[in-house]
Amino acid sequence: VIAERLKSIVAEHEGGVILIVGPPESGVTTTALCCARAVDSYLFQCYAVGDLGTREILNVPNFEEKEGDGVDGTIERVRRNEGNLIYFSDFADPERTKTIVENSQTVSMMSEMYAKDAADGIVKFVEHLGNPGLVAEQLRCVVSHKLVRKLCPKCREAFRPSPRLLMQMGLPDDTATLYRKAPPPDDEDDDYDSCRACNDSGFRARVAVFEMINVTEGMKNVIASGGGVPEIRAQAKEDKALTFQKDALRLIADGTTGLEELQRVFSG
């Protein structure tokens, strides 16, 4: 879903900013690079600018910043190379970021920032630039993620959900089976066979759930007027934006994770 929406944003808009946000040490850079890879490099010419360290983006060449060019000169060189999207390694410096955003009328820009979630990311981006009007005009969407643990496929326990639970979760009422972590063994159960696949933890690996706020006309008005997180979330709800809870339902429905895990992740 995220990949298709990102493709449509680059295809339908001339320029603009795509912002990827997440808390520190949460894998936000990995998510940002995945979002950059999601843009079809066969249809759109994409370049990376900045220090990616040991990472690389498949089919996205790194565009060297020449000494003396500055960021605006680098962007102009990308334009001359018919670039459609530029991935910048970070939006850390406000003045550099402002120059990038001001030059995003004809080339799409993508980068990352630290924020709690997408709504918080918009507020922090406005604070970073100090110009709500510029953000409202040039921001196209904000993507955020959270990591949830995957149930161990070897020892997860199937159960039949009640109609009330399905209604509370927003799942189809004909959902016959959900999954949860297997309960701990009874102390007196001598026949219990421990799960070597997950060392009896009940979980193996993690998977991301996403949210995405598109900057609609209504959202532009909220941002330009200096709206805070509650106002942004209210507008996102009105716009039927992709939320963590909506995206998480697919993982519940196919047994990738369980309700208890989502409650743990979102309880904060």
Side-chain angles (χ1 to χ4, degrees):
V1 175
I2 295 291
E4 291 304 316
R5 293 191 184 186
L6 290 175
K7 290 176 186 177
S8 66
I9 286 172
V10 175
E12 295 170 10
H13 297 277
E14 288 191 358
V17 175
I18 299 169
L19 189 62
I20 317 300
V21 303
E25 307 300 326
S26 70
V28 62
T29 298
T30 299
T31 298
L33 295 177
C34 288
C35 287
R37 292 190 192 103
V39 178
D40 194 335
S41 59
Y42 293 101
L43 295 177
F44 308 104
Q45 183 61 59
C46 308
Y47 294 100
V49 174
D51 183 13
L52 300 181
T54 58
R55 298 172 182 262
E56 63 178 42
I57 310 175
L58 187 65
N59 295 325
V60 178
N62 195 282
F63 204 88
E64 296 282 341
E65 289 190 71
K66 293 183 178 179
E67 187 176 349
D69 266 3
V71 67
D72 49 354
T74 301
I75 293 170
E76 181 56 35
R77 288 173 52 229
V78 171
R79 283 200 189 99
R80 292 198 298 268
N81 280 268
E82 300 182 343
N84 302 107
L85 172 73
I86 307 174
Y87 173 85
F88 284 92
S89 56
D90 64 72
F91 274 172
D93 179 75
E95 285 304 314
R96 176 183 169 86
T97 304
K98 184 179 179 181
T99 302
I100 292 169
V101 176
E102 289 174 342
N103 279 275
S104 65
Q105 286 86 3
T106 57
V107 180
S108 295
M109 311 291 186
M110 180 186 289
S111 192
E112 63 190 74
M113 285 184 67
Y114 290 137
K116 180 180 178 181
D117 53 31
D120 184 50
I122 293 175
V123 171
K124 282 184 166 54
F125 197 46
V126 170
E127 293 173 349
H128 187 63
L129 289 182
N131 190 334
L134 180 62
V135 173
E137 189 60 33
Q138 294 305 118
L139 188 63
R140 296 290 177 261
C141 73
V142 182
V143 177
S144 185
H145 73 281
K146 287 184 181 292
L147 296 175
V148 299
R149 294 177 298 176
K150 300 169 66 175
L151 289 169
C152 175
K154 295 288 186 181
C155 66
R156 66 182 181 176
E157 181 181 76
F159 71 98
R160 186 175 182 84
S162 67
R164 182 179 179 182
L165 177 62
L166 294 177
M167 183 177 66
Q168 289 175 337
M169 295 173 63
L171 288 170
D173 56 12
D174 61 351
T175 302
T177 306
L178 294 179
Y179 293 87
R180 60 193 171 199
K181 176 184 175 181
D186 192 310
D187 290 340
E188 299 180 359
D189 186 2
D190 296 330
D191 296 327
Y192 174 73
D193 187 15
S194 64
C195 180
R196 296 182 179 180
C198 67
N199 292 322
D200 284 339
S201 68
F203 299 96
R204 287 186 65 189
R206 295 189 295 176
V207 64
V209 292
F210 297 95
E211 69 172 353
M212 183 176 189
I213 293 180
N214 290 308
V215 181
T216 61
E217 288 301 319
M219 189 61 74
K220 282 184 180 181
N221 293 333
V222 172
I223 297 171
S225 64
V229 169
E231 292 78 17
I232 292 171
R233 286 180 178 161
Q235 183 62 47
K237 183 177 180 180
E238 184 176 329
D239 294 336
K240 295 181 171 50
L242 177 67
T243 63
F244 286 131
Q245 287 76 10
K246 287 180 183 178
D247 195 41
L249 287 182
R250 64 184 173 85
L251 303 180
I252 289 283
D254 66 12
T256 299
T257 193
L259 179 60
E260 295 82 0
E261 173 64 5
L262 294 184
Q263 290 173 331
R264 181 192 70 83
V265 170
F266 293 112
S267 63

